[in-house]
């Protein structure tokens, strides 16, 4: 069963398998009509995404980004929608993040060599292509080299937070990232909160992030069960956050993968997000369907 909207996805400009054009065409074929591409810490795929979105008159495209932040013991991802992705200081900041991603990936390759699981930087670079390098590209190189059989196994055995090849990133706090996103007129949404619920840190974090300007939380996501969706919807309501969602489609396969639009995201919260974007003067940064 497909949703008309999907607010979280990745292309070749970060760790997705499809180009922005392929991604949008797939979402469109799946019946999605309100879509956002949210590559990790990069906006360079947005021109191509807008161009492709423009070929479908009944298609709304929202410029987005997913930014990685760290809190003690875990990682927090924040989605920014309706961002002014031409803002030069913002772009400068993203370039710095790209450099730090590169350094981190180099360090992880070194660690893997020390662990007796050698991969080459060239292969990681080849998987990353023109975009932001991430752990999934290292995972693909590990699979290719025959050290593991799947990307998930690469994360479980080596690349996960507690894995032997893990390297910390430059720390950005979620509050800093929210402020960065608000600074470019974006609306900020907490992504995939399940891990945070498991560590017991979610409620404290939501209080602090709401204060910092968070407007939404992902409630409808990949394999979240109806009970989990109900829990997150109640939390969103408690903290005054819009209950949003997305497939987080990467095209890398795996048991958790959902196709674009294959999430039970209802239209009401999406309309609420669009209406907030209108109030804040951010809606003009989206490509709005003619038919709407
Ligand atoms: P990075 O941005 O380099 O820290 O890599 C994080 C990305 O790796 C996430 O956004 C996911 O796309 C992917 N990822 C994280 N954990 C796993 C996992 N256990 N299995 C597969 N992919 C994962
Ligand atoms: Zn990713
Ligand atoms: Fe994420
Ligand atoms: Fe994501």
């Amino acid at each position: 069963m497909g949703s008309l909207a999907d607010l979280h996805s990745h292309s070749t400009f970060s760790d997705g398998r499809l180009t922005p054009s392929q991604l949008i065409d797939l979402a469109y074929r799946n019946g999605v009509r309100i879509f956002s591409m949210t590559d990790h810490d990069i906006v360079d795929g947005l021109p191509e995404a807008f161009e492709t979105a423009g070929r479908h008159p009944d298609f709304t495209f929202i410029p987005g980004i997913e930014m990685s932040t760290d809190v003690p013991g875990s990682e927090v991802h924040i989605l920014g929608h309706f961002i002014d992705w031409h803002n030069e200081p913002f772009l400068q900041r993203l370039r710095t993040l790209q450099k730090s991603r590169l350094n981190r990936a180099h360090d992880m390759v070194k660690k893997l060599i020390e662990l007796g699981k050698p991969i080459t930087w060239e292969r990681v670079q080849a998987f990353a292509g023109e975009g932001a390098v991430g752990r999934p590209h290292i995972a693909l190189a590990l699979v290719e080299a025959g050290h593991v059989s799947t990307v998930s196994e690469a994360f479980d055995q080596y690349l996960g937070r507690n894995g032997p090849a893990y390297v910390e990133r430059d720390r950005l706090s979620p509050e800093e990232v929210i402020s960065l996103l608000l600074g470019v007129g974006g609306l900020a949404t907490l992504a995939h909160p399940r891990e945070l619920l498991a560590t017991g840190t979610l409620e404290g974090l939501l209080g602090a992030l709401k204060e910092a300007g968070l407007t939404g939380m992902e409630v409808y996501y990949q394999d979240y069960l109806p009970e989990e969706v109900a829990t997150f919807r109640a939390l969103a309501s408690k903290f005054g956050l819009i209950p949003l969602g997305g497939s987080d489609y990467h095209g890398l396969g795996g048991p958790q993968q959902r196709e674009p639009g294959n999430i039970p995201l209802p239209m009401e919260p999406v309309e609420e997000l669009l209406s907030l974007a209108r109030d804040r003067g951010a809606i003009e940064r989206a490509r709005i369907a003619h038919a709407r």
Side-chain angles (χ1 to χ4, degrees), residues 8 10 40 66 68 75 77-79 191-192 218 221 248 250:
H8 185 169
H10 298 273
H40 295 286
E66 178 174 22
S68 299
E75 227 174 278
H77 291 180
I78 309 279
L79 298 169
H192 42 69
E218 276 192 321
Y221 180 83
D248 198 3
H250 281 75

Side-chain angles (χ1 to χ4, degrees), residues 211-228:
E211 188 84 0
L214 191 75
T215 54
M217 173 166 76
E218 276 192 321
V219 165
Y220 308 92
Y221 180 83
Q222 289 188 347
D223 58 346
Y224 284 13
L225 299 168
E227 307 87 91
E228 293 178 296

